């Protein structure tokens, strides 16, 4: 990053307060999200193996859809935060409404595409004959909640842009509790089986979307923002989201390639890989919380025309990312012998996972830098660069990962290539942050 004068200690404390105030609630909301799936799994698991297998297939499809459209949150956060920094709350909320309208349009398109093709999608994911009917039932019902799910993403981005991460936390916790209660009541009380679980989740998602809409609509009325769909605004939101979609799909491709390579290494390796990937995803929540704070704070500083403030808070967040990464890395290395027995009793899986976890632990400071700078550039609206950087990363990672089984490497070698992937991301993001080209001030980029 470009050099700047030494900051006074009071400035650092101010940045720390801003980061903590946004990152801690964001972390809670991020952790609450996967609890939806865990609750469904625990409830449906008691119905039978075929039902649980069907849930697994349908959930994989639904989670893929959510990950594809996560740009609704990212792009909306950056755009809204810029207008907040510029002092134009009416335009900020108007921008947020454009994102919400885009979410509804995309949700309707997903329903139209998924309902008639649900059985084919289930077959594509390799569901067994016994599990396929349950997967199809769950998918067809759950897809009705996709518009609400996407509205939640977009509205979350609106509130993050408004520097509010507490409301998403409250809504996520309330949604989790409602989801669990509805699932138990509909699955067992109403005897609807796996269909009851799907309906419970849809109702909970619609309730969460409704709460968000009430909050955003109140803000719109307060500041005189129009609620009508604006074609130009919706188109601008979609255009801002395309580069982030490319970035997300590239990252998903990397994770899928890694899983495919692990499957070729053997049963113990793929089992260990799934355990490690779950831990890696959990660690990512802590680092992503700082990235979310970065999106909101950087957008606000740039919208206010404070380029030096953006540089300073970027530097401070990188320091936070490294520090949190070091702490997480030490915990992984130290706790790995106690962590693995929670997931497996197979000595072969443990033997494969133990050395690979050392690689994961050592790479956490790198991950801390990556997540923070990713969030900074998202907050700056630098989506096109993020897309190209991820495509370059994918191009480097793919041959390296595919060579692992060819050269006789094991799971530790595969996770070394994952560390290579994160290192490439770190270098591309660091070069961009150092250049200062991401610093474009004003209400719009």
């Amino acid at each position: 990053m470009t050099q700047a004068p030494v900051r006074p200690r009071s400035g650092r404390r101010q940045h720390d307060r801003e980061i903590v105030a946004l990152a801690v609630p964001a972390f809670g909301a991020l952790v609450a999200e996967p609890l939806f799936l865990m609750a469904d799994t625990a409830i449906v698991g008691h119905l039978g193996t075929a039902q649980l297998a069907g849930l697994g297939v349908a959930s994989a499809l639904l989670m893929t859809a959510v990950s594809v459209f996560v740009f609704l949150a990212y792009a909306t956060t950056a755009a809204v935060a810029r207008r907040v920094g510029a002092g134009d709350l009416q335009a900020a909320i108007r921008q947020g409404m454009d994102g919400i309208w885009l979410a509804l349009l995309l949700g309707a398109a997903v329903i139209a595409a998924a309902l008639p093709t649900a059985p084919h999608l289930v077959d594509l994911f390799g569901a067994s004959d016994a599990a396929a009917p349950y997967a199809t039932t769950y998918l067809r019902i759950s897809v009705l909640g996709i518009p609400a799910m996407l509205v939640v993403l977009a509205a979350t981005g609106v509130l993050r842009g408004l520097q509010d991460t507490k409301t998403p936390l409250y809504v996520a916790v309330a949604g989790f509790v409602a989801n669990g209660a509805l699932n138990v009541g509909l699955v067992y009380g109403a005897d609807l089986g796996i269909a009851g679980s799907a309906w419970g989740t849809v109702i909970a998602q619609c309730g969460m979307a409704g709460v968000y809409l009430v909050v955003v609509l109140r803000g719109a009325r307060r500041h005189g923002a129009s609620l009508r769909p604006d074609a130009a605004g919706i188109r601008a939101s979609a255009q801002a989201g395309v580069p982030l979609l490319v970035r997300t799909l590239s990252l998903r491709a990397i994770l899928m390639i890694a899983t495919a390579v692990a499957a070729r290494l053997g049963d113990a390796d793929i089992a260990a890989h799934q355990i490690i990937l779950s831990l890696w995803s959990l660690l990512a929540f802590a680092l992503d919380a700082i990235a979310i704070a970065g999106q909101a704070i950087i957008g606000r500083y740039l919208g206010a025309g404070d380029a030096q403030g953006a540089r300073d808070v970027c530097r401070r967040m990188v320091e936070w990312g490294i520090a949190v990464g070091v702490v997480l890395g030490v915990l992984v290395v130290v706790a790995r012998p106690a962590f693995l027995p929670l997931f497996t009793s197979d000595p072969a899986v443990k033997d494969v996972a133990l050395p690979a976890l050392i690689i994961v632990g050592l790479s956490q400071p790198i991950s801390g830098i990556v997540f923070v700078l990713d969030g900074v550039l998202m907050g700056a609206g630098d989506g096109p660069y993020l897309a190209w950087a991820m495509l370059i990363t994918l191009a480097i990672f793919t041959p390296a990962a595919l060579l692992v089984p060819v050269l006789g490497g094991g799971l530790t070698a595969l996770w070394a290539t994952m560390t290579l992937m994160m290192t490439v991301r770190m270098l591309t993001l660091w070069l961009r942050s150092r250049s200062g080209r991401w610093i474009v001030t004003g209400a719009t980029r």
Side-chain angles (χ1 to χ4, degrees):
M1 290 167 287
T2 54
Q3 294 296 317
V6 177
R7 294 157 289 151
R9 188 174 298 274
S10 60
R12 293 182 61 177
R13 284 199 295 267
Q14 177 187 348
H15 292 326
D16 289 345
R17 286 195 296 269
E18 288 181 320
I19 294 167
V20 171
L22 291 172
V24 172
F27 174 70
L30 288 169
V31 171
E33 290 174 7
L35 293 179
F36 271 86
L37 179 57
M38 290 179 63
D40 287 359
T41 301
I43 293 167
V44 172
H46 292 286
L47 295 175
T49 302
Q51 289 91 332
L52 185 58
L55 173 66
V57 172
S59 295
L61 286 162
L62 293 166
M63 292 306 295
T64 298
V66 172
S67 67
V68 165
F69 294 117
V70 74
F71 70 83
L72 288 166
Y74 294 158
T76 305
T77 297
V80 171
R82 274 186 176 271
R83 286 162 175 79
V84 168
D88 192 347
L89 289 177
Q90 182 185 74
I93 296 175
R94 174 66 260 180
Q95 180 71 47
M97 285 305 304
D98 291 336
I100 290 173
W101 279 111
L102 177 61
L104 288 170
L105 291 173
L106 291 173
V110 171
I111 289 178
L115 279 180
T117 61
H120 305 292
L121 292 171
V122 167
D123 289 340
L124 185 64
F125 268 59
S128 67
D129 291 340
Y134 297 110
T136 301
T137 296
Y138 190 92
L139 182 60
R140 278 184 164 156
I141 296 172
S142 294
V143 78
L144 299 176
I146 288 288
M149 193 183 303
L150 299 188
V151 166
V152 167
L153 286 175
T156 299
V158 175
L159 294 181
R160 288 173 180 171
L162 293 170
Q163 317 296 296
D164 177 9
T165 56
K166 290 183 179 178
T167 300
L169 171 61
Y170 301 148
V171 175
V173 171
F176 167 70
V177 173
N179 179 65
L182 285 166
N183 278 10
V184 170
L186 294 174
V187 171
Y188 299 114
D191 198 24
L192 294 179
I194 195 170
S197 177
W199 280 118
T201 301
V202 168
I203 294 170
Q205 289 166 343
C206 290
M208 292 170 66
V211 172
Y212 275 121
L213 288 175
V214 168
V215 173
V216 173
L217 293 180
R218 283 179 178 172
R221 284 197 297 267
R222 187 181 309 119
H223 298 287
S226 173
L227 302 178
R228 294 179 180 178
D230 176 64
I234 294 171
R235 185 165 54 252
S237 295
Q239 289 172 344
V242 169
L244 297 179
L245 175 62
V246 173
R247 167 204 168 273
T248 300
L249 291 176
S250 299
L251 181 57
R252 293 293 300 179
I254 286 171
L255 297 178
M256 290 175 65
I257 290 169
T259 300
V261 171
R264 294 176 60 186
L265 297 177
D267 290 345
D269 294 86
I270 185 61
H273 176 74
Q274 290 302 115
I275 294 171
I276 295 172
L277 192 60
S278 298
L279 174 63
W280 192 75
S281 299
L282 178 62
L283 298 173
F285 286 137
L287 299 173
D288 202 28
I290 306 175
I292 288 170
Q295 294 171 31
I297 296 172
I298 290 294
R300 192 187 79 231
Y301 271 95
L302 294 178
D306 188 354
Q308 187 58 50
R311 290 189 185 94
D312 290 345
V313 76
C314 173
R315 185 177 291 105
R316 187 56 178 160
M317 280 188 288
V318 168
E319 293 169 0
W320 269 82
I322 294 172
V324 173
V326 169
V327 172
L328 294 176
V330 170
L331 288 175
V332 169
V333 173
V334 172
R336 60 196 173 94
F339 166 77
L340 285 173
L342 298 176
F343 293 87
T344 181
S345 58
D346 188 336
V349 175
K350 292 179 183 178
D351 290 343
V352 171
L354 280 171
L357 280 171
I358 294 178
I359 301 295
V360 173
L362 294 176
S363 69
Q364 287 308 298
I366 296 174
S367 296
I369 297 172
V370 169
F371 275 84
V372 166
L373 291 181
D374 201 44
V376 165
L377 296 185
M378 282 185 191
D382 205 12
Y385 182 84
L386 290 172
W388 281 110
M390 276 305 303
L391 288 172
I392 292 170
T393 303
L394 175 61
I396 294 174
F397 169 79
T398 301
L402 295 178
L403 280 173
V404 169
V406 174
L407 298 177
L411 191 66
T412 301
L414 176 59
W415 276 92
T417 65
M418 291 287 285
T419 301
L420 169 66
M421 177 269 293
M422 295 300 289
T423 302
V424 172
R425 289 187 69 190
M426 180 184 70
L427 291 174
T428 57
L429 297 175
W430 178 77
L431 288 172
R432 185 64 167 182
S433 67
R434 184 178 176 83
S435 74
R437 294 176 183 173
W438 56 278
I439 300 177
V440 179
T441 58
T444 58
R445 184 178 173 86

